């Protein structure tokens, strides 16, 4: 039985006026395959980053890893997360 649905993974961002736009804001580089979620406030090279970026902010150039491994809660995402707090020593 055909019981599955296809979910379109989208990236989006909010401009300075609070308007939502589908796609990637200017200033983001790298391989975005597998990246979904809110890219507002993200800058830099996303090569090597995987997982849901919703609620994440900061400069990602030179950062590697899977954000899902950071065990970010929905509450964390709602408040926003500074990427610096997720980088190990």
């Amino acid at each position: 039985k055909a019981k599955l649905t296809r979910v379109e993974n989208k990236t989006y961002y909010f401009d300075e006026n609070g308007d939502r736009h589908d796609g990637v804001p200017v200033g983001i580089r790298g391989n975005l395959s597998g990246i979904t979620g809110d890219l507002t406030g993200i800058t830099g090279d996303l090569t090597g980053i995987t997982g849901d970026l919703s609620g994440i902010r900061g400069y990602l150039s030179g950062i590697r890893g899977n954000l899902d491994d950071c065990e970010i809660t929905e509450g964390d995402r709602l408040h926003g997360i500074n990427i610096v707090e997720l980088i190990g020593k």
Side-chain angles (χ1 to χ4, degrees):
K1 294 181 180 179
K3 296 287 185 178
L4 303 178
T5 58
R6 185 177 306 276
V7 176
E8 185 177 349
N9 291 324
K10 287 190 171 185
T11 56
Y12 57 92
Y13 65 97
F14 293 91
D15 64 20
E16 60 278 351
N17 298 320
D19 297 326
R20 181 180 163 149
H21 301 276
D22 287 338
V24 178
V26 175
I28 292 182
R29 303 177 307 278
N31 180 357
L32 299 180
S33 61
I35 296 294
T36 62
D38 185 356
L39 298 178
T40 304
I42 297 291
T43 60
D45 186 348
L46 295 181
T47 301
I49 297 291
T50 60
D52 185 349
L53 292 176
S54 296
I56 304 294
R57 65 183 186 277
Y59 184 69
L60 295 176
S61 289
I63 305 299
R64 300 269 185 264
N66 188 333
L67 291 171
D68 294 334
D69 292 343
C70 295
E71 300 179 8
I72 301 165
T73 68
E74 285 303 312
D76 294 334
R77 290 181 188 282
L78 287 173
H79 291 98
I81 301 161
N82 188 332
I83 195 71
V84 172
E85 296 173 10
L86 301 177
I87 299 171
K89 304 221 183 281

